[in-house]
Amino acid sequence: MTGIAGLIVLTLAAGWATTYVWRFAGVYLAERTAPDSEVLMWVRAVATALVAALVARLIVAPPGLLATTALEARVGAMALGVAAFYVFGRQTGAGVVAAVVSLFGISWVLGGP
Amino acid sequence: MAASFIGFGALVRGLEIGLLPGLLSTLFVWALPGQVVLVNMYAEGAAFLAVAAAVTLTAVRLLPMVILVISTVRLEGAPRWPLYLLAHFIAVTIWRIAEDGLEELDRPKRVPWLLGVGITLMASMLVMASTGYYLAQSLPPLLAACLIFLTPSFFFISLFASARFAMDYLAIGAGAVIGPAAYHFYPDFDLLVGGLVGGTLAYLVTRRRRRGS
């Protein structure tokens, strides 16, 4: 399937249904369980690692214009972002701003795009 | 949150698939990691099952959030369908808002109030994603690249912000190392391999230590 119909089917089947199933389960479970089991710990670990893998892919194989920056700049900027997050008392916003500003700064110094 | 959706719009622009997949994924997935996986794999033309499996794995983390939000808003004996509607809007932001803003609200008002917040947020983020998409087109290349970088930065820092156990930090490291390694061998399944192998490793290593101590 191609075109807009295919895109809509993909979004609904591989995007909406696959996501909503966990939200549905959440409502269902909210009425009966305490959410601190070993299974949930494992699920938490897998979900965390998956998002980390997603970030790593976006850094190693970046989309669009992000690919014009150097790999070292992306890795370095991300590390500085995490450092800033802790330096500024675990502020997510500070970390994100630091990461993006660092990418700009490092790329500019390296004479990037 | 607005910044991360601007970044998402810029990222969609970078994938060269048009704005529509970005807007559709915002409406129907409404959880940024899943959306990024979806549009990325769509751009690569990945197999349907691989897309479905990767998106569903990113969405598992919504389960505990939904349980927490629903247990603070539900009413004994009230109809259930509004809860199942509200569930579609629950992601990190609504969860944070529910934790901070619900205490002083009467219990019967909580579901309609959160639904209003959810719909407003979704409408705003459709605008933000579109803004990012068009900004990325008209900005100098380096600034556009920085805009795209907003989204992975937000994800990565958020992982540290929500990490509570040694296991979480180990899972971040394992996923970040195993994912790219797997990308060389199974480009369709790198996220699944990184998540399952990295996460299971982190879980098992720290469980042994939890039991040993």
Side-chain angles (χ1 to χ4, degrees), chain A:
Chain A
M1 240 181 309
T2 50
I4 290 182
L7 171 65
I8 291 175
V9 169
L10 181 79
T11 307
L12 285 177
W16 175 77
T18 51
T19 306
Y20 190 76
V21 79
W22 298 107
R23 291 179 164 133
F24 183 90
V27 179
Y28 183 82
L29 288 173
E31 307 187 324
R32 45 214 98 200
T33 48
D36 254 357
S37 64
E38 281 293 302
V39 178
L40 271 185
M41 277 298 269
W42 175 73
V43 163
R44 184 186 163 95
V46 171
T48 304
L50 192 134
V51 175
L54 173 63
V55 171
R57 181 210 272 186
L58 290 171
I59 287 179
V60 175
L65 283 169
L66 189 54
T68 58
T69 59
L71 175 65
E72 300 78 31
R74 297 190 294 269
V75 174
M78 197 60 93
L80 286 171
V82 174
F85 167 76
Y86 285 108
V87 169
F88 291 97
R90 299 179 65 93
Q91 290 290 319
T92 306
V96 174
V97 169
V100 173
V101 171
S102 303
L103 180 70
F104 184 86
I106 297 172
S107 303
W108 196 70
V109 170
L110 292 178

Side-chain angles (χ1 to χ4, degrees), chain B residues 1 26-27 30 85-86 88-91 93-95 97 110-126:
Chain B
M1 185 196 195
T26 303
L27 272 175
W30 189 238
L85 178 63
L86 175 62
H88 177 67
F89 292 93
I90 299 175
T93 309
I94 291 280
W95 171 53
I97 290 173
R110 289 180 180 178
V111 173
W113 185 77
L114 269 187
L115 264 177
V117 173
I119 291 167
T120 311
L121 276 177
M122 190 180 274
S124 322
M125 292 313 126
L126 288 171

